[in-house]
DNA sequence: GTCTATATAGTGATAGAC
DNA sequence: GTCTATCACTATATAGAC
């Protein structure tokens, strides 16, 4: 069992199945029986692996976010110019949509609602952290003169954040454009606009 | 069915309450008891006004979409230049977010899932119609030289559509910016980009 | 137009056998 | 690791009284 080829544990298989269903139908619309059916077992058997349905979505979201924010931290800490860092942050996000579409979709669709409960408080915290990442990069860009100085920073932050993540609604890995091509176009529009 | 000047019917009051809850908590997360509680009645009493919870969201969405698409049709039919029409379409959308935030939020959050059921097939039809509106305007812009001719039309359509509607996630009427100010900034970024 | 009372079905979760 | 069997609870919806 080498590190690279270790077969996915049963637990991880079940989590992957649940993630797909949560993303496609929504957390509340997905029953534990749906998950068990898709896995070819009975619903009671799921509770050998997980405490609750809530635990499943919790593990899916927290695992994904940990990996994503490690990437943002790396970019923030780098000594590249602001425009490059902003571009990299956008590209990392599109890569996440490509490689973890279900996790991104679940976060986009459920975080607002789930974040209200104590157990999912970390979702709101991550949201704040994400805001800091983007705002830092935008302010640095304005300060160093690579971005327009008449930008409303908060509005621009929301524009970028939403613009990037909302692509999870239509982007499908391996269909049409690659995530790199999509990121190219998005960065181009974002930086230079669509007009002549 | 009520005339323009008559006070809001009980039915409309209940629909407004349901719309707020569906937008805030999601359709599935909102129970008929939640709606009845918020209205100060018991859940059974709701069924004097509506067939089902599904009928409620159906009426909310179809009524809203009818009004919205009438506005798009008017823009498409006008003889202004492509850039003006595109701007107007963006502004009409932000106005909808301002005046019907709950309806827009419900559509954004639930249309993908609901659209799979026969009863809500019109949601998918409206989606196609919306695509035609934006693509028509973009292609006219490229043809008349007011938009860059290296744009991927489909990608640009998705960019604009998503960019506009996703604002419903954070925009709150009467707080911070007006919908006109937000539209100004969005149009500016969309057309000219954020870089110097 | 609302309430009382209740039918009916679904849904998350548990205990113990295999 | 999964199944059998089932519990407790929640949810939509109905019928008839007021």
């Amino acid at each position: 069992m080498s590190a690279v080829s270790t077969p996915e544990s049963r637990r991880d298989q079940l989590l992957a199945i649940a993630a797909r269903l949560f993303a496609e139908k929504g957390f509340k619309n997905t029953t534990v029986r749906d998950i068990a059916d898709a896995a070819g077992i009975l619903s009671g058997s799921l509770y050998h692996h997980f405490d609750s349905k809530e635990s499943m979505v919790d593990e899916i979201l927290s695992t994904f976010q940990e990996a994503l924010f490690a990437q943002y931290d790396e970019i923030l800490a780098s000594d590249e110019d602001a425009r490059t860092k902003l571009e990299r942050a956008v590209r990392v996000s599109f890569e996440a949509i490509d490689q973890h579409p279900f996790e991104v979709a679940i976060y986009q669709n459920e975080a607002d609602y789930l974040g209200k409960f104590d157990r999912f408080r970390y979702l709101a915290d991550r949201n704040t952290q994400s805001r800091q990442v983007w705002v830092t990069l935008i302010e640095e860009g304005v300060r160093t003169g690579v971005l327009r100085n008449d930008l409303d920073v908060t509005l621009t932050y929301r524009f970028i954040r939403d613009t990037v993540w909302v692509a999870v609604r239509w982007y499908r890995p391996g269909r049409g454009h690659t995530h790199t091509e999509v990121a190219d176009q998005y960065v181009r529009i974002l930086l230079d606009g669509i007009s002549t």
Side-chain angles (χ1 to χ4, degrees), chain A residues 96-168:
Chain A
I97 293 175
D98 183 68
Q99 287 169 14
H100 301 285
F102 302 141
E103 288 84 345
V104 173
I106 296 167
Y107 181 74
Q108 291 301 301
N109 295 332
E110 320 284 349
D112 265 17
Y113 180 67
L114 290 177
K116 290 173 195 155
F117 303 104
D118 276 355
R119 172 168 200 172
F120 293 96
R121 199 202 195 87
Y122 68 90
L123 291 175
D125 296 341
R126 287 294 195 189
N127 193 42
T128 303
Q129 197 183 344
S130 150
R131 187 179 192 285
Q132 285 165 349
V133 170
W134 292 111
V135 168
T136 300
L137 293 178
I138 294 165
E139 284 176 342
E140 192 181 324
V142 171
R143 199 171 56 247
T144 59
V146 301
L147 297 186
R148 285 166 32 203
N149 61 13
D150 64 333
L151 290 174
D152 179 317
V153 173
T154 301
L155 228 49
T156 307
Y157 145 66
R158 288 176 179 144
F159 187 93
I160 297 177
R161 174 199 61 184
D162 294 343
T163 295
V164 166
W165 291 120
V166 84
V168 75

Side-chain angles (χ1 to χ4, degrees), chain A residues 4-71:
Chain A
V4 257
S5 59
T6 306
E8 206 178 26
S9 70
R10 185 63 173 139
R11 182 187 175 80
D12 288 343
Q13 288 173 8
L14 294 171
L15 273 185
I17 289 166
R20 178 174 59 79
L21 291 171
F22 291 158
E24 284 171 358
K25 311 176 25 144
F27 176 67
K28 193 79 180 197
N29 288 319
T30 304
T31 69
V32 291
R33 285 174 178 80
D34 289 335
I35 301 169
D37 282 355
I41 59 178
L42 292 184
S43 65
S45 306
L46 276 178
Y47 291 85
H48 173 73
H49 304 276
F50 305 98
D51 280 354
S52 64
K53 185 176 119 172
E54 213 174 68
S55 293
M56 301 186 79
V57 76
D58 192 347
E59 188 166 337
I60 290 165
L61 288 174
S62 56
T63 303
F64 165 67
Q65 292 218 333
E66 203 173 338
L68 177 68
F69 278 85
Q71 292 186 280

Side-chain angles (χ1 to χ4, degrees), chain A residues 72 86 89-91 93-95 97 104 108 130 134 138 154-171 179 182-194:
Chain A
Y72 286 147
L86 203 55
V90 170
R91 288 177 194 285
S93 309
F94 277 106
E95 195 182 15
I97 293 175
V104 173
Q108 291 301 301
S130 150
W134 292 111
I138 294 165
T154 301
L155 228 49
T156 307
Y157 145 66
R158 288 176 179 144
F159 187 93
I160 297 177
R161 174 199 61 184
D162 294 343
T163 295
V164 166
W165 291 120
V166 84
V168 75
R169 295 200 165 198
W170 58 264
Y171 177 80
H179 71 94
V182 175
D184 285 345
Q185 290 266 347
Y186 267 46
V187 166
R188 175 82 197 278
I189 293 179
L190 181 65
L191 291 171
D192 301 325
I194 65 172

